Amino acid sequence: MTSVIELISPAAEAEPRAVASEDWRRFEGYVGEIFTALGMDLSAPGTRETPHRFLQALRDATAGYDGDPKLRTVFASERPPAVDGSHSQIIEGPIVFHALCEHHALPFFGVAHIGYIAGPEIIGISKLTRLVRLYARRFTVQERLGEQVADLLEELVRPRGVAVRLEAAHLCTQMRGVAEHESRTVTTFWRGLYDERAELRAEFMAEIGSRR
Ligand SMILES: [Zn+2]
């Protein structure tokens, strides 16, 4: 029988951010000043609202700080807990994500692959996507993003092992100076059984390699 587990995670339950409208208007003024100084003509029909749209886009791109109440429920696995020896992996991905690097506030984006070895609970692909986006839609770095996804997945489903692999392109390096157009940064995190067993890591890598 499948049961629903209610879980309250501080990360998922964050209060939506509030910015007073007078502050927002002031910010639009600052952004307009910066864009003008950098060369934008704010008097054209296409750019007049650009500071407003820019801030709105920035707010949307960082919506992870608002939390995600839909991450509250996970479903208990139907798999009998007594079945042992079956260290079968649940592997999901690619999950597309977009984040802002905290060093330059410019986007880095790519795909996440997540693997776990189920303990008492499982979690659906849509929740895993939400989990990745909860932390990706912030000012962050790729290493922390991977750690946070692994941490919350452990908290949500108490798995026996977690693997998180992120592969991303960073616009802060690609748009400026050394133009390394094709470079990708890969980070991988292993927890629990994945940390202990090389064959699980190999299986995970082979599986996601076949999906890319
Ligand atoms: Zn950067």
Side-chain angles (χ1 to χ4, degrees):
M1 198 182 81
T2 302
S3 63
V4 177
I5 293 164
E6 280 278 315
L7 169 145
I8 297 177
S9 161
E13 289 293 298
E15 284 295 312
R17 297 165 295 175
V19 179
S21 54
E22 63 266 29
D23 288 336
W24 206 251
R25 273 194 294 279
R26 194 159 42 86
F27 299 163
E28 287 178 13
Y30 297 152
V31 170
E33 221 175 297
I34 294 164
F35 285 1
T36 301
L38 292 177
M40 185 183 280
D41 173 10
L42 282 184
S43 65
T47 55
R48 208 163 286 144
E49 294 298 316
T50 297
H52 171 78
R53 285 189 295 256
F54 173 77
L55 285 171
Q56 195 58 54
L58 203 52
R59 185 184 199 150
D60 293 346
T62 56
Y65 291 115
D66 293 329
D68 185 350
K70 290 195 173 156
L71 274 174
R72 281 182 58 162
T73 39
V74 294
F75 293 92
S77 172
E78 292 183 341
R79 190 172 56 82
V83 178
D84 198 68
S86 64
H87 297 315
S88 80
Q89 306 188 44
I90 299 170
I91 297 173
E92 299 283 12
I95 296 169
V96 174
F97 71 86
H98 295 81
L100 293 173
C101 94
E102 68 180 11
H103 301 128
H104 302 92
L106 287 172
F108 67 95
F109 58 94
V111 293
H113 286 88
I114 298 176
Y116 65 99
I117 297 152
E121 289 112 38
I122 58 169
I123 186 169
I125 177 74
S126 65
K127 290 260 164 51
L128 284 174
T129 303
R130 285 180 173 280
L131 200 162
V132 170
R133 291 188 179 156
L134 175 72
Y135 291 116
R137 289 182 179 164
R138 299 179 184 213
F139 299 105
T140 186
V141 293
Q142 192 171 327
E143 292 77 6
R144 188 192 307 133
L145 175 56
E147 296 267 17
Q148 288 176 320
V149 167
D151 285 346
L152 188 53
L153 184 58
E154 284 194 308
E155 193 186 319
L156 284 171
V157 299
R158 291 177 287 147
R160 302 169 69 196
V162 172
V164 177
R165 184 181 187 277
L166 304 176
E167 184 175 341
H170 292 247
L171 288 191
C172 55
T173 57
Q174 297 192 351
M175 288 172 69
R176 314 171 311 137
V178 281
E180 294 179 43
H181 294 295
E182 295 304 316
S183 81
R184 294 281 184 279
T185 304
V186 174
T187 48
T188 314
F189 300 90
W190 311 110
R191 299 275 175 82
L193 286 179
Y194 284 99
D195 208 23
E196 296 160 22
R197 298 178 186 216
E199 71 272 20
L200 287 173
R201 298 195 292 273
E203 199 181 302
F204 174 77
M205 294 306 292
E207 171 58 27
I208 69 172
S210 71
R211 296 181 183 200
R212 279 183 294 145

